[in-house]
Structures are given as structure tokens and as C-alpha cells.
Amino acid sequence: MTILIKRIHLSNFKQYKEVDIIPESEPGIFVFIGKNHLGKSNFLNAICWCLYEELPFKESIDDSDNDDEELLNKDAKEINIFNETTVEIDIQYGEKLYRFIRKQRPTQKSYLAILLKKGEQWESLDQSNYRNIIESFLPKDLREYFIFAGENVEELFSAGYEKKLKSGVWKLSHIEVLDRAIDHLGKISTTVQKFASKSNMVLFEPQKKKDDLIRQNEQNKDRFKKIEEEVVNLKVLRKNFKEKFETFRQYKNLTEKRSDLESRIEEIDKDNHQFKEEINNLITSNIAFLYLKKTFENVKDKIEEEQNSGFLPPSINSDFIEKLIQDNTCICGNKITKGSKEFNNLKKILESVEDANRLKPILDDKIRIVNVINNINNFLDRFESIRNKKIENSSKRDRLDRDFKNIKEELKNVPNGEVGNIEDSIERIERSIDEINAEKARIQMEIERDEKEIESLNNLINNELKKQKENEASIKKIEIIAESIEKLNKVRGRITGQIRTILSKNIEKYFKNLFWDIDDYEIIQFSDNYKLEIRKRGSDSNEVDFSKGEKKVLGLSTLKAIAELSGFKNVPIFFDAPLTNLDTEVQENVLKMLPSFAPDKQVFVFNLDDREMINFAESNIKKNHIFWLVKDLDYKRSTKIIQK
Amino acid sequence: MSSIDGDYPQFLYIDKDIKEKYLEPLIKKGSGTCFEDQEMGEIYLLGAVIGYINKLKSPIKSGNRKEVRTYGKLSDDNKLLIRCIAIESNNYEYPILFEGTKVLKLLEEYANAGIKVLSEKIFNNLNLSIEDEIEEFLQKI
């Protein structure tokens, strides 16, 4: 991608009070001509300061007016010691236009801003990207290959140059990109290896466990399904039974009533049985007396009659009569004779009294008879009472019997125990449903638990399989990476070899073009380590002791060769004093070479206003490509840049 | 009182045939009658009462006398019952009470006849309710 400098603006920087350069936006030579001390080197410093915050180029020693330490333009300082120094560079990189702005106030640190043009606006970029942006097209490390002072070109081959040169060339050729890629691939390979080696689990056990669980789970699901069907059937059955129960419920009340009647009847029967036993006991112990009740009453009456008549008990003492008979005395006190009528009467009375005396116990019988009659009456009362109770019970029982018969009639089509059976059945079904539901819940839990475990095993197995696949893929990756690294290394080897060869050939070509005594050298090339090998014709040694001018020619040849490298091809070049320290012949050669030095890029050449350069510029460079550094008439210690 | 029945015979008798054919079956265990397992002397007296109130007498056949009960072991009320039957059947001539043999013989004859009546009534109608009988009897008196 072409890199073009679109504008350079300096404000209060060193000799420049205010300068705004807008070079033509195309590749070509741009020549800046000016006398000593006008600030050619500081113009390059302004670019380096803006981009890298460094001032690598020295002004001439006798430039007493411009102190290296001080950035601020003297005239500006005179106006205000706190004036700000600013350098702005607009650089087009492909389609993008960047603006780099660095500013600094005296005693303060400088700061950089990078803007990107979007439409008509400039937008600030994230500061964290600044370094990447600069490094992506104007790397600081390679600065000396595109912003350089001709006076110092020979220093390209100072001690230890090989390493620096090699690194620079490789950077320009983007070899480091290859190196980074190889390094990155190596790191990836290491990481992949690290993870790949971790996955070595044996999957047999978890797989077996998972299979067992799946089998068990399927069985449980079957069982669950069957249970659900069973529950549905039971619910249907329950519904049927409940419907039946509704039908039979009215009978249930009747059945209960029937049972109640039965128990009441049973109670009455029990009472009756007790009455019967009591009556039987009463009868068997009293029947004979009962049958004879009239006789007892008659006898009692007769005895009372006897009592009332005075026969019982006898009112006359038999001893008294016996004494009268013995004394032959009448009751009235008169003497009587034996065998007389009165005497015989006394004897009869005595016999009667003796009979009555013998019958006296009958009076005790009367008392007993009265008791017996009382007992009979008691019996009869008791009998009557029991009879009445029996009658009462009997009528009660008749009523109960009637009710019982009626209920029985109503229930005649209802099988005994049907209601109870239905209730029992419903209860049994409810119990079964509860039990089955509990079983269902248990199985459901088991299924869920197993499914979770299966899922977790699946995850484990899948992860492990994935790991194993990844492992395999990783191994494959490692192989591919190794292969790629090998290929990249080969490519790298080829590229570095080619670069070194091209560089060697170009150096040889440009050196010979520039050098005045072409045939003195037979070998000019770089070794693997970028050590420059130059052998003079007829010499055995590759070591050549160059003069300062020869070193400068070598340096210019190298810069030209490097500029040819593809990675560096479009980077603008800032070239200060290319002719300094060169012999006249070489100066001519350099000037001859200059137009074709870098045809694909902007080349900014800064040189003294010597005749050779002025002639060269006026003959070979487009007029609008020539810039003149002149004293600023407005600011006596400042330089301005003009185009004639 | 002992003076009245002091000379009374030791036992009450019944005709052997009546005893075996009518009295014993009435009280036999498992007979199914209302007198099952009752004391023999009690039923004997009931038989005598039934004979008496129905004016039925049946002398014991000669050589067929069988003891039923010891007189002395009868209760006072039962002895009173015997005396009352004797007094009433003898037209309230109390002296009969001093003739124990007569009194008990009279009782034997009534019992002999009455037991047969009782037995026939019971066995002819095993469902006979003695209670109803009593009721009927009470209606009569």
C-alpha cells in the first residue's frame, strides 16, 4: 500500500515559526534547498519528533542561534515564552488519511494525537492504538532507513552493523511477521499439546453405568405408564362404584334402620325371654299354691269361723274342768255326783276342750295360710306386671315387626351387605389409588433422578469424547502446525536467502554504478549473518579498508538496495545532504542515480544550495517539487519554505 | 304343729306305673317340657293339686306303691298345702289332720290322677304355654 506525505505543518518548531508544506500527492523527488543553518536537519527532526518524540539529527555546530535542547522557535519565544510547539503530519496509508499531531509547551511533556479522517471530519483514535498505527507503516526501528542524513550514511557500516542490518532488512521484508507466525504456531502447538495430553479418561465405566441407567429408566417408564393406566382404570372403577353407591345409598339408611330394628327386636325378645324365664320360675314354684288358692282361702275362712265361734282356741282351761270332775263340782260351784247329767256334761266339755287344744296348731296354720295367700297375691301381681310388660313389648314388637317387614320388603331386591360391600370396595380402590400414586411418585422421582444422572453422564461422556476428538484434532493440529512451521521455516529460509541475494546484487550493482573504479572489486555480497563481504580483485581477503567516501557510497548503495525491498518499497524517504563528503565523480553519479533512486515513492531530499544540486534540480525535478529554505523576513531568526 | 302330723307316714307314694309313665318323663332332662329338671316331689304335689281341683282320684294299685318323697323333707308350705287339701276334702272336719295315713292316702290318689292329667296335657301339646294356662286359670277363678 502506498504511503504518501500529504502535508507537513510546523509551528514554533526550531527555526520554523510557521511552515506549511503540501507536497504533490504522488511518488517522486522533492528537493528542499537551502543554505546552512536554515533548518534542513531540523525539518527531519520535526518529522522524527512528531512521530517518535526524538531528535536524531544535529544542526551545524556553529548554529549558535539554535540550541538543540530547545524546541520552541526563538521568535515565538520572544513573543511568549509559553508558546506551544506543534508539528502536524498528514499521511495517507492506502485509503486512510491519518493526522499525527504532537504538541509541547516549554517545561511540559509533549503529547501526541492521531486523528483519522472520516468524511469531512477528523476523529480521534484510541491512544492505546497509536504505537500500532505508527509501527504498522513507519516503524521506529527502521527509521534510519527512510529518514537519514547523508552525512551519516557511512555509519550504517560501523561496528556491529551486521546484526542491526540483518534485523532491519528482515523487518522491512516482513520476515519478523513470518518469525512471529512461526513463534505463534510454536506456542499454539505447545498449548494444544498441553491440553491434548490431559484427556485420557477411560469411558468404559461411565458408559456402562449410563447404559444400565437407561435400561432401568426405560423399565421405570414402562412401569410408570402401566401405573398411569392402572390409576385411570381404578378411577373409572371408583366412579362406577360411586355411581352405584349413590344408587344404593338410600338403601344404606334402610339397612341401618333395619339393623336398628333388628337390634331393638332382639332386645325386646331378650326381655321377653327374661320375662318368660322369670314367669316360668315363678309358675313352677307357685303353681300348685295358685291352683289351690281358693282352698287356702276357704280353709282360712273356716278357721276364722271356728275362732269366731269360740271353739278355737278353747275358752275353758282343761285343767280347770278336770279339777271340777275330780272334785265333783259343777261350774257353778254346786256339788255333783258321778254319772249325773251335770257330771257327764263336764266330761263332754273336757273332751271338747281337749280336742280344741289338740287343734290349736291350726291357728298357726291360719297365719301360714295368710302368708301363702299373700305370696300367691304377690306372685299374681308380679305375674300381672310381667304379663303387662310382655304385652307392651309385644305391641312394641308388632310395630317393629311391621316396620321391619316394610323395610325388608323395600330391601328385598338388595343383596345383603351390598352397600357395605360397595363402601368397602370404594375404600379399597381409594387405598389402591393412594398406594399406586405413591408408587407412581416414587418411580417419577427415580426417573427424574436417573435422567439427571444420565444427562450428567452424557455430558461427562460427550465432554470426554469431545476432548478425545479434540485431542485427536489437536494431535492433527500439532502435526499440521509442525508441518506449517517446517514449511514457513523453508519459506523463511528461501525468502531471507532471496532477500540477501537481491540485496547483495543490488548493493553490488549500485556500488558499482556509484563507484568510480568499478573493476577494482570482484565480490560484493552479504554473508548469512549480513556481514558485507567485499573482495578486491586479486586479493584473498574479504576485508577491505574503505575510505570515508567509499563507506558513504557503500551506505548509499545499501539504502538504495534496501529501498528496493518490497516491504519498504512505498515508504517515503527523507534524505539529508546526500552529496556531502563525496568526491566530485561520485557526486555526479549520485545525482545521476537520484531520479531513479526510488521511483515508486516520495523521496524528500534536503541539500545545500550548491551549484550541482541547483542545476540538477532545475534540470531534472518538477518545479513544484522544489522547495527553497529562506530567511523569514517577518521573523528575523526564523526560516520559511517557499516555491519559486 | 308337730303334734298334728307327728304320726304321719314317712313317705309319699305313687303308683309305680304312673311314676314311670307320666311323672318321670315330665321332669326328665331333655324332655322339653316346662318341668324339665324340676324336683319330683314338687311335680307330685302339683299333680295332687290338679287331681284335687279336678276332683279326680286314682288309688294306687295294690303292690304297685312307689316312694316319691320323704314326707319329713317337705317344706312347711307344702305340708300346709297337703293339710288344706285334706281339710277341705273332708268337709272341714279338722280331726282328719290327726289321721296321717288318711291324709297322705288322699293325696296319693289325687296325685295319681292329677299327674296323668298333667302329663297328658303337657305331652299332647308340647307348645303349651304354662303361662297361658295360668292366665286361663285365673280367668276361671
Side-chain angles (χ1 to χ4, degrees), chain A residues 415-436:
Chain A
N416 275 343
E418 183 71 21
V419 176
N421 286 343
I422 292 168
E423 277 184 321
D424 287 350
S425 300
I426 291 172
E427 209 171 297
R428 271 202 310 279
I429 291 166
E430 294 286 0
R431 265 204 310 276
S432 299
I433 289 173
D434 286 349
E435 282 165 12
I436 287 172

Side-chain angles (χ1 to χ4, degrees), chain A residues 72 87 120 148 189-190 195 224 264 307 320 460 535:
Chain A
L72 186 59
V87 176
E120 291 303 311
F148 51 86
S189 178
T190 312
F195 283 105
F224 188 79
R264 283 166 69 188
Q307 278 181 301
F320 169 69
L460 177 81
R535 195 190 299 165

Side-chain angles (χ1 to χ4, degrees), chain A residues 232-444:
Chain A
V232 170
N233 290 339
L234 279 171
K235 281 183 178 169
V236 170
L237 200 60
R238 178 175 64 184
K239 195 180 162 209
N240 291 341
F241 268 105
K242 278 193 171 167
E243 282 168 8
K244 208 170 173 186
F245 178 71
E246 284 303 313
T247 315
F248 278 91
R249 193 158 61 175
Q250 52 179 315
Y251 292 126
K252 194 193 170 200
N253 295 334
L254 287 172
T255 309
E256 280 171 2
K257 206 170 170 186
R258 182 177 65 183
S259 298
D260 178 52
L261 285 172
E262 272 174 343
S263 63
R264 283 166 69 188
I265 288 170
E266 201 178 305
E267 213 170 294
I268 287 172
D269 286 348
K270 200 175 157 189
D271 278 353
N272 281 345
H273 182 72
Q274 275 178 357
F275 293 154
K276 192 178 176 184
E277 276 192 349
E278 199 178 341
I279 284 173
N280 276 346
N281 288 337
L282 277 172
I283 289 171
T284 49
S285 56
N286 291 291
I287 188 170
F289 292 91
L290 176 66
Y291 282 158
L292 221 54
K293 187 186 176 211
K294 193 70 188 164
T295 301
F296 283 121
E297 286 169 349
N298 290 340
V299 171
K300 187 198 93 176
D301 290 346
K302 283 292 176 190
I303 291 171
E304 278 175 354
E305 234 175 79
E306 296 293 346
Q307 278 181 301
N308 293 336
S309 69
F311 178 71
L312 283 174
S315 52
I316 301 168
N317 191 320
S318 60
D319 293 344
F320 169 69
I321 299 294
E322 274 179 12
K323 187 132 182 13
L324 285 175
I325 289 170
Q326 220 173 357
D327 294 343
N328 292 316
T329 305
C330 183
I331 294 168
C332 59
N334 295 331
K335 282 292 184 179
I336 55 171
T337 56
K338 279 187 181 175
S340 66
K341 190 182 168 186
E342 286 81 8
F343 185 83
N344 288 335
N345 279 343
L346 277 174
K347 276 194 114 173
K348 276 184 187 175
I349 289 167
L350 180 65
E351 279 172 18
S352 174
V353 168
E354 280 175 350
D355 282 349
N357 277 335
R358 282 175 63 199
L359 286 170
K360 260 170 81 177
I362 286 188
L363 293 175
D364 296 331
D365 275 359
K366 189 195 110 181
I367 296 163
R368 288 197 190 94
I369 289 167
V370 169
N371 285 338
V372 166
I373 290 169
N374 284 339
N375 285 343
I376 291 167
N377 286 335
N378 286 341
F379 156 73
L380 287 173
D381 287 345
R382 181 69 189 140
F383 179 77
E384 196 58 28
S385 149
I386 292 170
R387 285 286 289 177
N388 286 338
K389 278 184 186 171
K390 276 189 75 176
I391 290 162
E392 197 184 321
N393 270 354
S394 176
S395 66
K396 210 188 270 180
R397 197 184 190 285
D398 285 348
R399 281 199 307 276
L400 292 175
D401 270 346
R402 266 198 310 279
D403 292 346
F404 186 77
K405 273 178 194 163
N406 290 338
I407 289 170
K408 206 172 164 187
E409 186 62 26
E410 282 187 64
L411 289 172
K412 75 178 175 189
N413 293 326
V414 183
N416 275 343
E418 183 71 21
V419 176
N421 286 343
I422 292 168
E423 277 184 321
D424 287 350
S425 300
I426 291 172
E427 209 171 297
R428 271 202 310 279
I429 291 166
E430 294 286 0
R431 265 204 310 276
S432 299
I433 289 173
D434 286 349
E435 282 165 12
I436 287 172
N437 273 334
E439 172 78 354
K440 190 178 148 188
R442 191 186 62 73
I443 292 173
Q444 175 80 39

Side-chain angles (χ1 to χ4, degrees), chain A residues 193-211:
Chain A
Q193 254 170 350
K194 202 163 76 184
F195 283 105
S197 59
K198 278 184 183 170
S199 172
N200 57 355
M201 185 191 254
V202 179
L203 287 175
F204 176 73
E205 278 301 322
Q207 187 62 50
K208 186 175 176 297
K209 197 174 171 190
K210 183 187 141 190
D211 290 345

